[in-house]
Amino acid sequence: MKSIVRAAIVATALVVPVASFAQSQITRAQVRAELAELQSVGYHVGDGDQAHYPEAIQAAEAKLAARDGATDYGGTANGTSQSGGVRVSPSDWNAMYSR
C-alpha cells in the first residue's frame, strides 16, 4: 500500500512542473509592443506613482479597447440574434406531446 502512495506522490510531483511549463508564454517583443500601445494612449511606465498604478493601467487598457473597438469579451459581433425558441404550431405540438 505504501508503494502505491509513494508512486502517486512521485507522479504528482512530476506532473505539476510539466503542467506549469505548458502555460502560454509571451516574448519580450510582445511585451514591448503592448507597452508601446499603452504609451500611445497616455500610460507612462515608471512615473513613480505606485499608489495609483492599478487605476492608471486599467484606464489605459480601457482607452485601448475603446480605440480598437474591442470589448472585454472579444471583438464586435457582426450578426443578429433572436431570443426565445422556435415557434411550434399547435398541430405539431399536439402531434409530438399528445397521446
Side-chain angles (χ1 to χ4, degrees), residues 4 18 27 32 39 51-52 58 63 65 77-78:
I4 293 174
V18 172
T27 64
R32 287 182 179 165
Q39 288 173 345
H52 299 288
Q58 289 171 350
K63 286 179 187 177
N78 297 325

Side-chain angles (χ1 to χ4, degrees), residues 8-22:
I9 291 171
V10 169
T12 303
L14 293 174
V15 169
V16 170
V18 172
S20 66
F21 182 72

Side-chain angles (χ1 to χ4, degrees), residues 7-72:
I9 291 171
V10 169
T12 303
L14 293 174
V15 169
V16 170
V18 172
S20 66
F21 182 72
Q23 293 177 355
S24 171
Q25 295 188 8
I26 59 174
T27 64
R28 226 178 250 184
Q30 289 170 324
V31 171
R32 287 182 179 165
E34 282 184 27
L35 285 174
E37 286 181 343
L38 290 170
Q39 288 173 345
S40 72
V41 293
Y43 178 72
H44 301 288
V45 179
D47 62 357
D49 189 11
Q50 297 296 322
H52 299 288
Y53 163 74
E55 294 90 10
I57 190 99
Q58 289 171 350
E61 288 174 343
K63 286 179 187 177
L64 263 178
R67 183 185 75 182
D68 296 339
T71 63
D72 288 343

